[in-house]
Amino acid sequence: MTTPVCTSASAAADPAGQTLRHRAAGGTPTYPSFSSYVRARQPVLLRAARSLTANPSDAEDLLQTALAKTYVAWERIEDHRALDGYVRRALLNTRTSQWRKRRVDEYVCDELPEPDPVPGADDPAERQALHDAMWRAITKLPARQRAMVVLRYYEDLSEAQTAEVLGVSVGTVKSAVSRALGKLREDPELVLVR
């Protein structure tokens, strides 16, 4: 993380002489104590920023902004033992300000712009109805075809594994499953789903 540069930092001398200050090339005061504080406390403060945002990049930006505000107020902070609390308050205030400034675009319209629901998509009742209809259609199949369909598509066995379990040839499995799928495609309950 780079050290923030604030051109609006106060250029007045420290009246108590408590802070060692140097002037950077641009005339902005630098505070070695601030730099050492940031190096020492950055991981802790970054965790605090991450707790306020969902995105790690936003957390880094939030911390950078809070540290910039702290840098500007560095001379005014009397108790440097309470810096973590000051920075956390700056984090919270900055995040609250960002949240309040967020634009929400709302447009008035006569009709809601929501898409028509797709049957069976993310509706648990529709999924259950389809599941039940499929099982009813499968129970109408002859026992051998039903066993092959269940092994192939519900148990996820290969054609060779299905043939081995049932003691038939792979060709028998292929032809029986093909006929069973044809019957399922013609089932009146499943036609309504398509």
Side-chain angles (χ1 to χ4, degrees), residues 84-151:
D84 281 357
Y86 185 92
V87 174
R88 283 191 176 101
R89 174 51 63 184
L91 284 168
L92 186 60
N93 290 346
T94 303
R95 183 65 183 137
T96 302
S97 296
Q98 290 172 347
W99 177 76
R100 285 182 179 153
K101 290 178 185 175
R102 183 183 59 157
R103 280 185 36 191
V104 178
D105 295 328
E106 292 184 14
Y107 302 101
V108 179
C109 60
D110 293 333
E111 295 181 26
L112 293 176
E114 296 176 5
D116 294 331
V118 178
D122 297 341
D123 183 9
E126 289 291 328
R127 273 188 302 206
Q128 187 61 45
L130 177 61
H131 183 266
D132 293 344
M134 180 61 76
W135 272 113
R136 283 192 300 275
I138 288 174
T139 58
K140 295 177 192 173
L141 294 173
R144 189 171 176 179
Q145 288 180 358
R146 182 173 54 241
M148 290 182 190
V149 167
V150 168
L151 289 173

Side-chain angles (χ1 to χ4, degrees), residues 27-99:
T28 304
T30 58
Y31 304 104
S33 57
F34 177 79
S35 299
S36 62
Y37 169 75
V38 170
R39 276 192 297 278
R41 301 301 294 165
Q42 180 183 2
V44 173
L45 297 173
L46 187 56
R47 279 194 299 273
R50 284 187 178 152
S51 70
L52 296 172
T53 64
N55 185 339
S57 298
D58 290 342
E60 290 173 3
D61 291 344
L62 179 63
L63 179 59
Q64 184 73 21
T65 304
L67 288 174
K69 290 178 179 181
T70 304
Y71 184 82
V72 169
W74 193 254
E75 290 179 345
R76 295 188 314 260
I77 300 173
E78 293 177 12
D79 186 8
H80 282 243
R81 292 173 298 183
L83 283 172
D84 281 357
Y86 185 92
V87 174
R88 283 191 176 101
R89 174 51 63 184
L91 284 168
L92 186 60
N93 290 346
T94 303
R95 183 65 183 137
T96 302
S97 296
Q98 290 172 347
W99 177 76

Side-chain angles (χ1 to χ4, degrees), residues 180-192:
L181 292 177
K183 289 179 183 178
L184 291 175
R185 283 186 199 100
E186 295 172 0
D187 188 282
E189 283 189 82
L190 297 179
V191 170
L192 297 175

Side-chain angles (χ1 to χ4, degrees), residues 14-26:
D14 186 359
Q18 297 172 347
T19 306
L20 176 63
R21 223 174 36 186
H22 301 286
R23 293 245 175 230

Side-chain angles (χ1 to χ4, degrees), residues 144 147-148 151-152 157-174 177:
R144 189 171 176 179
M148 290 182 190
L151 289 173
R152 279 287 290 131
L157 297 180
S158 68
E159 292 169 341
Q161 291 169 328
T162 303
E164 184 180 330
V165 168
L166 296 175
V168 297
S169 69
V170 175
T172 303
V173 171
K174 288 181 179 181
V177 168

